[in-house]
Structures are given as C-alpha cells and as structure tokens.
Amino acid sequence: MTHTSMESAIPSDDSGTQRLGMYEEELKKMNWNLLILEVILFGIGVWNLISASTVQGKAMGLYKTQLLWFGVGMILTALLLLIHCSTLSRMAYVIYFANLVLLIVVLLIGRSSLGAKRWISFGSFGVQPSEFMKLSMVLCLAKYFETDRTVGGYGFKELLLPTFLMIIPCGLIILEPDLGTAMIIILIGLSMLLFMKIQPKTLLILGTCAAIALPLAYQFALKPYQKQRVISFIDPMADPKGSGWNSLQSKIAIGSGKLFGKGYRKGTQSQLNFLPEHHTDFIFSVFGEEHGFVGCVIILSLYLAFLLNGMSVAYQSHDKFGLLLALGIIMSFFWQIFINLGMVMGILPIVGVPLPFMSYGGSSLITSVLEVAILTNIANKKLMF
C-alpha cells in the first residue's frame, strides 16, 4: 500500500516524544547547584530577618520587601539564563560606563542617610549603584583581560589601564562615602590581577608601595570616624559606649549563643535592641546568638559549598571571558563573606559590608542574585546554546 504526500507530511507522535525526551535529559544534566544553594541561604536569611526585624514585639516587616526584591531577582535570573555569555562580553564596557554615570548621579542628586549619599530614590524604593558596581567591575576586567594579549606577566605599563578602571569607581564611591564597598571592589580587582600573573619584580615593588601607603592613608585619607573604627578594632574597650559599642555587642551576641543558641526570637542582644544594625551588617550576630555554634557551622558550610561550586564553574569554563567572569564573581562573594564575618566576630574593623543573601538590602540582594544567574549561565552554556 502506498502513502499519500499528505500522510507523509504529518509528524509522528514518536518524533515529538523523542524531542521532549531530549529536552528533559538536557534539563537533568544542567547544573543547578548554585541556584539551589542560593535559595537555601536566602530562605534561612529571610527566616533570620523576621527575627532580627522584630524588636520588642513590633515587626518591621522588612522581610516582605526582601521577598519582593528576591522575586525581581528571580525574574532577571530567568532572562539572564536565556542570554549567551558572548552578549555579556559585548555589553561589558557599556554596563561599566553606565554604572559610572549612576555613581556620578548619586553624588549630584542622591538621597542622604546617616551622613552618606549612596542611594537614588524611586518613590519609596532606593537603588544603591555602588552595589551594582561590584558586578560591573568584574564584567569590565573580564572583558579587558579577554582581549589583552600580554605575554610573560604584567608589568607597570600593562597594569596602568586596569588599575585606572578600578580607581575611577572606587574614588566616586569613597566620596559618598562608602569605604567598605570601595574596598571590596579593590580586592576583587586585585584578585583578578593576581590570577592574570604579575611579574615578580612588579609585585614586590607594588607590595612595598602598599606597605608605605597604608599609614599615610590612615593619617591623611581617612575621616575621623573611620580612624576611630580602626582604634576601636585594636582596643574596643577604649570607648566601650561609643565607637567600640558595635564590636563589643556583636561579640557578646555570638558568644552568648554557646553551642545550640538561645532559640528563635529569644536573642536578648537583638530583641532588646542592644545590637546595632542587626538586620543589615550584623545579621550573622543575630543568627549566632539564636542558633549557637552548631547553627553557625551550618551556615559556614553552606557558604563553603557555594564558593567551591563557583570555583568549579570557573575551572570548567573553556573560554577566557567565562573563566575570568566566574572567578571575579566568586572573589566578590568570598571577600564579602570574609569581611562581614570577620567584622562581626571582631577580627576585622567594622566597615559596613553586607552578608550575601542574609543581610537586608535590595541592591545588594539583586546584585548577588544576578551574579549567581551568570555563574549558572556559564556552567550550563553548552547545554543551553
């Protein structure tokens, strides 16, 4: 029996089923580890934020805003997963310079709060461009090093332009002033530079110059309140009710949690409002007081798993831009986690650096969510494109 042309044109159900099966197999092969860890850390963060924002029985409702920002971040994540990394490479300098413009706008018409001008207001919401600069800086340096063809390591001449690209946004951010974010951007940039290999002689000279510049910067560049933070870090008891208060109360909160903690919403330091900024910079102190050493180990283990998964993404990337972008993003997370935890435990000066996924703040949260989306994009680009 012969078949008509119309019959042969009708696709069989088997071919459609096969295609669907192929898509399902590809989805199963995709690396969702970072997204899963992100959701777990954010979930713990919101749960902790509910406790931190409940002061003397009056809920501040900050967690609702945090959930809203996370929802916006998830929408942007879905869009970023549909974009090829080459698009980010082409747009890197545009994103960087657009962010520079926003930093200038902040200094001109930004909203002031607690003596700092860091936000651009949109109605009841505020956007902090300095937070987005962390990602913009990584994109810019990844693009620069992708196209650079320096052989034999970087000397002074080759370091001039990438250093200049770092100094401009850091200078604008310091003017706000926001020393913590500026320091994070410098550390991210230096981490990427070291990965690209600096000539030993150049590295030695730069290290010597940095050692000489640090005391000079302390003497002439830091504002009086910033100098006082350094003094309080060295000896918090020098001014226990003033500049040393934050560090002392944070250490008391974490230490009083002991092994298993005081219990959810039972932390006296946060609930009685002894602990300052307990919903932002000192959010980990709240968690440590309520859940103790065991709870802290769980959080640290999750962050460690997150960083190791991110490094795995960088290691497995087969193109230079993807490798550098993943490395820069992981360095951004590492330095924020390291400095925030060191700050709240009293082993580093207090500089106001948020803890990713746990500290309250829309700009910081969306930046972190975007960075995870890019890492997931890099990890799965072979399957997605």
Side-chain angles (χ1 to χ4, degrees), residues 57-74:
K58 296 180 180 179
M60 297 167 66
L62 298 179
Y63 73 94
K64 296 178 181 177
T65 307
Q66 193 79 337
L67 285 169
L68 175 63
W69 284 121
F70 189 73
V72 172
M74 285 294 100

Side-chain angles (χ1 to χ4, degrees), residues 23 29 46 86 102 115 153 177 209 226 236 259 281 291 306 326 330 334 353 365 372 380:
Y23 294 143
K29 291 178 183 178
V46 168
S86 60
L102 289 177
C209 291
Q226 292 170 334
L259 187 60
D281 296 342
H291 305 286
F306 180 87
I330 286 302
F334 169 78
V353 173
L365 178 61
V372 173
N380 297 305

Side-chain angles (χ1 to χ4, degrees), residues 299-367:
I299 289 294
L300 293 177
S301 299
L302 287 169
Y303 276 123
L304 179 60
F306 180 87
L307 293 173
L308 290 176
N309 271 275
M311 289 303 294
S312 176
V313 170
Y315 178 76
Q316 294 176 23
S317 180
H318 296 291
D319 68 279
K320 193 175 181 181
F321 179 76
L323 167 65
L324 292 169
L325 183 55
L327 176 72
I329 288 173
I330 286 302
M331 287 297 101
S332 174
F333 279 115
F334 169 78
W335 286 118
Q336 288 180 85
I337 294 166
F338 178 78
I339 291 175
N340 180 275
L341 296 181
M343 179 181 75
V344 301
M345 290 188 287
I347 60 176
L348 289 174
I350 295 172
V351 291
V353 173
L355 186 62
F357 307 119
M358 293 193 70
S359 292
Y360 174 77
S363 298
S364 173
L365 178 61
I366 287 183
T367 301

Side-chain angles (χ1 to χ4, degrees), residues 49-64 264-265 271 278-279:
L49 183 61
I50 292 172
S51 175
S53 59
T54 305
V55 181
Q56 297 178 344
K58 296 180 180 179
M60 297 167 66
L62 298 179
Y63 73 94
K64 296 178 181 177
Y264 188 61
R265 291 192 180 183
Q271 298 299 317
H278 46 266
H279 61 292

Side-chain angles (χ1 to χ4, degrees), residues 52-236:
S53 59
T54 305
V55 181
Q56 297 178 344
K58 296 180 180 179
M60 297 167 66
L62 298 179
Y63 73 94
K64 296 178 181 177
T65 307
Q66 193 79 337
L67 285 169
L68 175 63
W69 284 121
F70 189 73
V72 172
M74 285 294 100
I75 294 171
L76 295 174
T77 294
L79 295 174
L80 271 174
L81 291 179
L82 299 175
I83 297 173
H84 195 277
C85 279
S86 60
T87 304
L88 293 175
S89 177
R90 290 193 297 271
M91 294 293 294
Y93 290 139
V94 175
I95 294 170
Y96 171 81
F97 286 110
N99 212 150
L100 280 183
V101 172
L102 289 177
L103 290 176
I104 295 170
V105 170
V106 166
L107 295 175
L108 295 175
I109 60 170
R111 171 167 57 88
S112 298
S113 178
L114 300 175
K117 189 180 285 188
R118 302 174 185 172
W119 295 268
I120 299 175
S121 295
F122 298 95
S124 58
F125 293 103
V127 174
Q128 190 174 349
S130 59
E131 286 292 333
F132 298 120
M133 197 67 221
K134 298 171 186 174
L135 178 55
S136 300
M137 185 77 258
V138 172
L139 283 166
C140 180
L141 290 180
K143 176 64 177 178
Y144 174 80
F145 289 126
E146 179 195 24
T147 55
D148 186 67
R149 296 292 179 265
T150 298
V151 180
Y154 285 79
F156 286 106
K157 183 179 178 181
E158 293 81 12
L159 289 173
L160 283 176
L161 184 55
T163 302
F164 189 63
L165 292 171
M166 281 191 292
I167 288 176
I168 295 175
C170 287
L172 293 172
I173 292 169
I174 288 172
L175 290 175
E176 294 182 358
D178 187 355
L179 184 61
T181 303
M183 183 173 62
I184 291 291
I185 290 173
I186 290 173
L187 289 171
I188 294 168
L190 290 176
S191 299
M192 295 180 73
L193 284 174
L194 289 172
F195 179 80
M196 294 306 298
K197 189 181 178 182
I198 300 175
Q199 293 174 1
K201 179 182 177 181
T202 303
L203 189 60
L204 179 62
I205 295 173
L206 288 175
T208 304
C209 291
I212 296 172
L214 282 175
L216 294 175
Y218 174 82
Q219 187 65 34
F220 300 107
L222 294 185
K223 296 181 182 295
Y225 78 90
Q226 292 170 334
K227 291 181 181 179
Q228 192 59 47
R229 285 181 178 180
V230 176
I231 295 171
S232 298
F233 160 66
I234 297 170
D235 182 15

